[in-house]
Amino acid sequence: MVSTRNLRHFIRQPDLLVFSTIQPITFVQLFAYVFGGAISPSLPRGVTYINYLLPGILIQSVTFRASMTALGLSDDLKLGVIDRFRTMPMARSAVLVGRTAADLVRNILIIGLMILIGYIIGFRFQAGVVQALGSIVLVSAFGLALSWIFAFVALMVRSAEAAQSAGFVVLFPLVFASSVFVPVSSMPNWLEEFANVSPVTLTADAARSLALVPGVPSTLSGAIAWIAGILCLFVPLSVWRYRRMT
C-alpha cells in the first residue's frame, strides 16, 4: 500500500516525472559525446567508451537518486503523512520498506530507459542475457542499499534541504573519485588507492564486467559485501530511528 501510494505520487507529479526522465538521457549523451574522444585511448583494446561508460552511468544515476528517498520521507514528515500512517494498523517498518521499494521500482524503470538510449548510440551487452540481467540486478541492489542510508538521514535531520545537502556532500566525491567515468589508473596514486576500495568503483566495475566479459567479475564479491553491509547496518538503524520518533 505504501509503495503504491509513493509510485502514484511520483506519476501525478508531471514535472518530476519529466525531469527524472530527461536527466539520465542527458547524462548518457553528454558524457558519451563530450568525453568519449578524450578517454577512449586509455581504455583496454577493443572496448568502446559507450560500453565502458553506460554501466558506470547506471551506478551514478542510482547513487544520486538515492537522495530522493530522503527528500520523499522528509516531505512526508513535514506534511503529516507519516502521522496518518501511524494511526493505521500496519507495521511501523512498512513506511520505510514502502518508500525504499517504490524508489527501487523507479530506479529499475530509469535503468531500462538509460539502457535503451545506450543501445541507440552504440552500447551493447556482450556477455549474454544472464549476465546482462545480473548487471542490472547488481545496479538496482546498490541503489536500494543507498536508499536505506538516506532513509536514515531523513529521519535524523528532519529537513528536506539538510537531507539533500548532506547527500551531495557524500555522493559527489564517491562518484567522481571512482571508475564510473574514467579508469582509476589515470588518477594520482593516493586517489587511486581510495577509488579502488570505494563501493561505487567496486560496484561499477562488477556491473561493467558482467555486461561485457563472460565469467564472474573479480570485484563482484567486494560489491556484494558493500551492499550487504550497508543493508545490514542501515535497515535496523532506520527502523530503530523511526520507532523512536513514534
Side-chain angles (χ1 to χ4, degrees):
M1 181 185 71
V2 179
S3 297
T4 302
R5 175 257 174 191
N6 288 327
L7 288 172
R8 286 176 179 170
H9 182 66
F10 178 71
I11 294 171
R12 290 170 181 170
Q13 291 182 292
D15 53 345
L16 181 59
L17 185 61
V18 169
F19 285 113
S20 295
T21 303
I22 292 176
Q23 186 184 53
I25 294 174
T26 304
F27 270 119
V28 172
Q29 294 181 327
L30 179 66
F31 282 96
Y33 291 123
V34 174
F35 296 110
I39 298 172
S40 291
S42 65
L43 299 179
R45 183 184 298 273
V47 177
T48 63
Y49 186 58
I50 184 58
N51 279 346
Y52 179 90
L53 173 70
L54 190 67
I57 285 286
L58 297 181
I59 293 295
Q60 181 229 32
S61 178
V62 299
T63 300
F64 285 153
R65 283 190 58 78
S67 63
M68 297 300 293
T69 300
L71 293 175
L73 273 177
S74 295
D75 284 341
D76 285 347
L77 286 166
K78 182 178 180 180
L79 296 173
V81 176
I82 301 297
D83 291 333
R84 187 167 59 197
F85 283 144
R86 290 172 185 167
T87 65
M88 301 174 66
M90 59 190 297
R92 293 180 177 180
S93 60
V95 173
L96 302 177
V97 173
R99 177 81 245 180
T100 54
D103 289 337
L104 173 62
V105 172
R106 287 200 290 263
N107 276 340
I108 292 172
L109 294 176
I110 295 297
I111 288 169
L113 175 63
M114 294 176 71
I115 291 173
L116 175 61
I117 299 302
Y119 259 75
I120 292 173
I121 63 177
F123 172 78
R124 294 294 183 271
F125 285 109
Q126 298 180 349
V129 174
V130 173
Q131 288 199 201
L133 292 174
S135 179
I136 294 170
V137 168
L138 182 66
V139 173
S140 302
F142 186 65
L144 176 64
L146 294 181
S147 289
W148 278 99
I149 294 179
F150 283 94
F152 180 69
V153 170
L155 296 173
M156 292 296 294
V157 299
R158 302 292 296 274
S159 162
E161 293 78 8
Q164 187 174 33
S165 298
F168 279 107
V169 166
V170 175
L171 296 181
F172 261 90
L174 281 176
V175 169
F176 286 96
S178 72
S179 65
V180 164
F181 306 114
V182 299
V184 297
S185 58
S186 64
M187 300 177 183
N189 291 337
W190 61 270
L191 188 56
E192 181 181 355
E193 292 179 3
F194 169 80
N196 279 329
V197 297
S198 164
V200 175
T201 294
L202 290 171
T203 310
D205 285 350
R208 185 179 292 121
S209 183
L210 284 169
L212 304 178
V213 183
V216 179
S218 60
T219 54
L220 182 60
S221 59
I224 292 175
W226 270 108
I227 293 169
I230 291 171
L231 289 172
C232 288
L233 178 61
F234 283 96
V235 171
L237 277 177
S238 298
V239 173
W240 166 80
R241 178 58 183 169
Y242 181 77
R243 287 175 174 171
R244 286 287 299 271
M245 295 170 58
T246 60

